[in-house]
Amino acid sequence: MSTDVDANAFPSAATDGLVMGKDGMAALVDVLIGRGFTVIGPTVRDSAIVLAELRSADELPYGWGVELEAGRYRLRERSDGAAFANAAGPQSWKSFLHPARVREWSADRVEGELVLTADQAVPSRYAFLGVRPCDLRAIAIQDRVLTGGAYRDPVYAGRRSGALLIVVECTEPGATCFCVSMGTGPAAGPGYDLVMTEVVDEDGHRFWIRGGSQEGAEILAELPARPADPETRETARAGVTAAADRMGRTMPEADLRELMAGTLDAPRWDDVAGRCLTCGNCTMVCPTCFCTTTEDVTDLTGDHAERWRLWDSCFDLDFSHLHGGPVRASSRSRYRQWMTHKLGTWHDQFGSSGCVGCGRCIVWCPVGIDITEEAAALHDWTRSGTSDGAAS
Amino acid sequence: MSTVAPPLPYRVADTWAETADTRSIELAPVGRELPSFAPGQFAMIYAFGVGEVPISASALRGRHGGLVHTVRAVGAVSTALYRMRPGDALGLSGPYGTGWDLDAAVGHDVLVIAGGIGLAPLRPVVQAVLDRPAAYGRLAVLVGARTPADVVYRDEIESWRGPARVEVTVDRPAPGWHGAVGVVTTLLDRLDLRPERTCAFVCGPEVMMRHTARALLARGLAPQRVQVSLERNMHCATGHCGHCQLGPLLLCRDGPVVGYDRVAQLLLVREL
């Protein structure tokens, strides 16, 4: 797939788009499966909307919304039957592109020689159905982190290069969402193969769908859809615009990178450290957190060993281990590392913020720590005058 | 390709003791050879079934022409490497990281300051300067160690005397020690430094590097003339695992060698 396609290069059906009903959504899943994709999308499981393999569009969370607050996530039935009127669930697409557990290679001891063998697992070709604009940006950020530098992570690159991204614009932000602050939503940015906006009103339940790549346009051509009428387009656009005005959270209007660099000694870090359990939930649910550790395992013969790569968290005491002990022994320093990296030093390392405003870290924090509230407190501290000399 | 390249198989060609808990191991490729290392760059060394650690090359061409690493037995992997004997197999990948900027020192006096095993990644610097004496000004090597028995490369250090000014100090002297006692920065006072013409290369424990760098600045060296080699927990060496962050830096990618001007403020922040 191509991520740098000018939408104007496609015929009017692509720019003005098509409109399809639920039958079109059903056909879309069938077409994707028929083209050999493993379709991953939202579905209801374990009292949450999770991302899982879909065999048919019937498995989409039609009629389910979510209620989000700091430290709280609940499913809520909707009367309108919408499939995508639910904000971010606990998972993100990194579970598929940058899996939590990967075997990298094996080592065998054969007659005194060390035989090292690369893992030959062939990744699925994924179609991600229902990518949020914030998560689309998160994928672009992970692209840059894992494939944009001198070294490419081959596991990520292999899974990413074949992935088809079908974005659904956001019309139902949660109370913990702040994508507008981060410039990542609720309208879709570039990089998708297909984008759609869900509309449910007196004229029916339908999806305004547009292509963003050659492959997306080809798939679009196979769907039972009609040219988009101006009313549907307007209603869809209005829904997205309204979503922008309904964000539950906002980041302080400050240069967050400067704010983080200038507040490393702020007393607020002691305050948040008193609440933070250093459980690492925020890093697990974050769609851009990429840190990993390695684990070397041997079997009972002692002649076969494997190298595994696992997700890791900067909240783990071992994360900064050096002989003599961890560099970041206190919870204060570990929370500070996570937040200053996400909002600040990420810019230095990878040229963008590491935060997309999805709000997952707020929702899934067991004690409800809120990154926007912490940023606001730091911002207030720099303006209160108590920071003279320390925040320069 | 969507597979992760495993390390290349290497074999221990030779190994010898440096101190009671430190050995050097010289490595030879079994098949394909890694690209050549620059002074200050590091390898990830894999001990079968135990794990992998980042270790800077302590000599680019050893007695048998191979790459040399000096390991102190402090953890599971380094202890496994410490115990290796000629013929043992291990895995090697690299070279990784940014090494010492020796080009910046051409035409300058070179000041090498090491704490403990921090001399290991600096030894290629000394060798490079000794190999091309006309390219550099005066060479001084200052070494600090806990006790006289903890001084690595003792014979080689002696051989540097003459072409280089060499000073060694220890924290705790032992019977028979006639040299200096005290932290390595005290040795600086004995030097006739020409700050505007000097490049300093510093490696050792972080607290030692911080004090040394400040002492050098106090003597008039510009911060960018002071290079330090920093250590953090590294798992991937490719900027992808996140463990080696020091504020804005990913030390496996942006280091381990960095100009003190880039890290002076960062090193002042506790637990960064």
Side-chain angles (χ1 to χ4, degrees), chain A residues 46-49 64-77 85-90 363-364:
Chain A
D46 300 332
S47 303
I49 291 174
W64 288 102
V66 291
E67 283 174 10
L68 304 175
E69 243 320 318
R72 184 184 160 83
Y73 178 101
R74 293 290 183 278
L75 283 185
R76 178 174 61 82
E77 280 196 76
N86 42 70
V363 172
W364 297 95

Side-chain angles (χ1 to χ4, degrees), chain A residues 113 119 319 329-330 336, chain B residues 3 11 52 243 253 270-271:
Chain A
E113 297 288 342
D119 201 75
F319 187 84
S330 68
R336 183 182 66 184
Chain B
T3 59
R11 196 177 284 291
E52 205 171 35
H243 284 254
R253 181 191 79 178
R270 281 176 65 87
E271 295 190 276

Side-chain angles (χ1 to χ4, degrees), chain A residues 29 33 39 41-45 50 52-62 64:
Chain A
V29 173
I33 292 171
V39 180
T43 190
V44 173
R45 184 184 294 168
V50 301
E53 182 171 355
L54 303 181
R55 305 279 179 193
S56 91
D58 294 343
E59 296 172 87
L60 288 168
Y62 284 115
W64 288 102

Side-chain angles (χ1 to χ4, degrees), chain B residues 30-168:
Chain B
V30 172
R32 199 153 60 84
E33 191 170 4
L34 291 176
S36 56
F37 283 58
Q41 285 191 305
F42 67 95
M44 295 299 286
I45 310 185
Y46 170 68
F48 178 81
V50 185
E52 205 171 35
V53 283
I55 301 184
S56 300
S58 62
L60 308 183
R61 197 182 304 273
R63 303 168 183 187
H64 309 279
L67 198 60
V68 180
H69 291 83
T70 302
V71 292
R72 204 173 123 210
V74 288
V77 182
S78 57
T79 299
L81 296 175
Y82 173 84
R83 289 183 180 150
M84 289 211 166
R85 291 298 175 262
D88 285 351
L90 46 72
L92 201 69
S93 58
Y96 292 118
T98 309
W100 304 103
D101 186 0
L102 272 160
D103 290 343
V106 169
H108 290 68
D109 292 349
V110 173
L111 176 55
V112 170
I113 307 179
I117 199 176
L119 186 56
L122 284 167
R123 190 165 66 158
V125 171
V126 176
Q127 287 168 342
V129 174
L130 292 178
D131 285 349
R132 294 177 59 208
Y136 304 94
R138 303 181 310 195
L139 171 66
V141 182
L142 311 183
V143 177
R146 281 177 303 180
T147 71
D150 290 311
V151 178
V152 290
Y153 318 131
R154 238 170 303 177
D155 295 343
E156 190 170 338
I157 288 173
E158 289 309 312
S159 76
W160 295 339
R161 289 188 198 278
R165 169 93 182 259
V166 178
E167 300 284 348
V168 182

Side-chain angles (χ1 to χ4, degrees), chain A residues 104-105 107-109 112-114 116-121 123 145-147 151-155 158 264-265 290-294 296 298 302-305 307 312 318-323 327-330 333 336-337 341 345 348-350, chain B residues 1-11 30 46-52 72 74 87-92 95-97 206 231-233 235-250 253-254 266 269-272:
Chain A
E104 294 192 326
W105 42 265
D108 290 278
R109 201 150 47 185
E113 297 288 342
L114 203 56
L116 295 144
T117 314
D119 201 75
Q120 297 296 335
V145 170
L146 296 170
T147 63
Y151 297 93
R152 287 163 63 83
D153 170 13
V155 176
L264 293 173
D265 293 317
F290 59 87
C291 289
T292 55
T293 187
T294 51
D296 290 273
T298 47
D303 289 326
H304 176 76
R307 158 62 53 84
D312 202 357
D318 270 350
F319 187 84
S320 63
H321 178 82
L322 277 181
H323 53 86
V327 173
R328 291 185 281 274
S330 68
S333 66
R336 183 182 66 184
Q337 164 62 27
H341 184 218
T345 52
D348 301 289
Q349 295 169 0
F350 305 112
Chain B
M1 281 292 282
S2 59
T3 59
V4 178
L8 293 183
Y10 267 65
R11 196 177 284 291
V30 172
Y46 170 68
F48 178 81
V50 185
E52 205 171 35
R72 204 173 123 210
V74 288
D88 285 351
L90 46 72
L92 201 69
Y96 292 118
E206 207 160 291
E231 189 183 14
R232 281 292 184 275
N233 186 337
H235 288 264
C236 73
T238 57
H240 294 154
C241 84
H243 284 254
C244 65
Q245 292 177 62
L246 174 67
L249 303 175
L250 284 164
R253 181 191 79 178
D254 306 320
L266 303 175
V269 182
R270 281 176 65 87
E271 295 190 276
L272 188 62

